[in-house]
Amino acid sequence: MTEPTPHPRTPPPPGAGARIGAAFAGAGVTGWLHARDIDTDAEVDAGADRPVVTASVHKLCVLVTLHEAAAAGRLDLTEQTEIPAHGRTPGPTGLGAMLDGARLSLRDAAFLMMSVSDNAAADVLLERVGLDAVNATTRRLGMPRTEAVETFGSFLGSLRKDAGPAGPRAFADPRVIAGLRALDPARTNRSTPRDMTALLAAVWRDEAGTPEHCAAMRRILGLQVWPHRLASGFPFDDVQVAGKTGSVPTLRNEVGVVAYPDGGRYAVAVFTRAASPAATLPAADAVIGTAARLAVESLRTPSPPGA
């Protein structure tokens, strides 16, 4: 593997931050964004250094760690693993929602973890590589404010405990929302928008591992099934979007890379928190794509002379 190469930063394009802030406000959310041109490191900063709860976005860190271990010969991605029905981390998708035991290779578990955000698959892989290894990977890649402190099962367990006997219905109560440990970046898995675009850039520049492993990670990120957040801002057949979402009551996140047919490629990390505790807020999902598009369009617009 190669060490990440330092890239000089260029000044942010003028005005982008204000337009992005207005988009967030119009959707009823507070948002934080960082976008970077993967090839020049030109950037748009709209709260890029704000500590944020990663939720399922942290599965990207697990994926990179898994491939790092495979490249070092510590595991084989084709290794078959038994995943019993009982005791695995619950969730609404993938193995987390299935009723019977399963047998999968590690790389197919990684596919489920990233494409449908499967919590059970994520914890199978996290048990294989370990939290310490995940944190060692993000430190190696120059992400000092990114920290994994718990499994996805533990994360969901804190939500259940904090909700109390009312269960998910309690998340309609702003007083319950205010006390959720899962919404406090000091108490759960965390990062910053800038750290996450650094990780994406490392994967797309073949700096997060060998070219073979980085290509495999890019493929998996391109197979995510959700179109309602980052991808909604780029509804064009010739623009490719690869990403990973994260969701907790009131929080909606996505990090990913937008690639244009002219070769332009942009890493974008968007983290939002809605004023409303409603579980269904289409505008809050869509503004992730809107904000990302505003940032990418700004990066693709040449600055006027003297700017």
Side-chain angles (χ1 to χ4, degrees), residues 3-304:
E3 291 300 319
T5 304
H7 293 265
R9 288 179 179 167
T10 56
R19 293 193 295 274
I20 290 166
F24 284 143
V29 306
T30 303
W32 305 274
L33 173 149
H34 188 244
R36 76 171 74 210
D37 185 319
I38 290 176
D39 297 297
T40 70
D41 259 354
E43 63 178 15
V44 173
D45 176 348
D49 297 309
R50 164 86 179 212
V52 290
V53 171
T54 45
S56 286
V57 164
H58 225 99
K59 292 167 183 168
L60 175 57
C61 303
V62 177
L63 178 71
V64 175
T65 306
L66 179 75
H67 278 267
E68 185 176 60
R74 294 193 293 274
L75 57 79
D76 181 349
L77 290 173
T78 66
E79 173 187 321
Q80 299 292 307
T81 183
E82 299 289 342
I83 307 170
H86 299 289
R88 63 192 180 201
T89 302
T93 61
L95 295 165
M98 294 179 185
L99 301 178
D100 299 319
R103 186 170 191 262
L104 287 177
S105 68
L106 295 178
R107 63 184 177 183
D108 280 349
F111 162 71
L112 289 176
M113 172 179 73
M114 301 304 290
S115 64
V116 296
S117 202
D118 185 340
N119 293 322
D123 273 347
V124 166
L125 297 173
L126 192 50
E127 183 176 358
R128 191 72 169 80
V129 299
L131 281 172
D132 289 344
V134 174
N135 290 325
T137 295
T138 51
R139 285 195 295 271
R140 178 181 72 80
L141 293 172
M143 301 165 59
R145 290 159 293 188
T146 300
E147 188 81 12
V149 302
E150 60 183 343
T151 67
F152 297 96
S154 172
F155 180 78
L156 294 170
S158 80
L159 277 173
R160 287 194 296 270
K161 185 172 183 180
D162 291 347
R169 295 193 305 276
F171 297 143
D173 185 341
R175 294 169 298 181
V176 173
I177 291 288
L180 293 179
R181 287 168 288 174
L183 300 185
D184 182 356
R187 305 172 73 182
T188 185
N189 299 340
R190 54 187 171 266
S191 185
T192 66
R194 190 188 304 279
D195 269 11
M196 294 313 301
T197 64
L199 181 59
L200 290 163
V203 173
W204 258 255
R205 291 171 178 160
D206 288 342
E207 295 170 349
T210 65
E212 175 190 359
H213 282 282
C214 285
M217 289 187 278
R218 292 193 292 269
R219 170 185 171 273
I220 285 182
L221 280 159
L223 294 174
Q224 180 185 230
V225 301
W226 317 126
H228 58 310
R229 291 186 182 168
L230 187 58
S232 70
F234 306 90
F236 315 113
D237 288 345
D238 57 352
V239 176
Q240 297 180 337
V241 178
K244 182 71 201 77
T245 56
S247 307
V248 194
T250 72
L251 301 191
R252 293 166 178 82
N253 311 327
E254 186 158 0
V255 306
V257 167
V258 182
Y260 282 72
D262 62 5
R265 47 188 193 161
Y266 309 90
V268 189
V270 189
F271 294 81
T272 70
R273 181 163 185 173
S276 168
T280 301
L281 285 175
D285 288 309
V287 77
I288 291 175
T290 301
R293 187 184 69 249
L294 290 170
V296 170
E297 287 178 347
S298 180
L299 289 171
R300 290 175 62 81
T301 302
S303 299

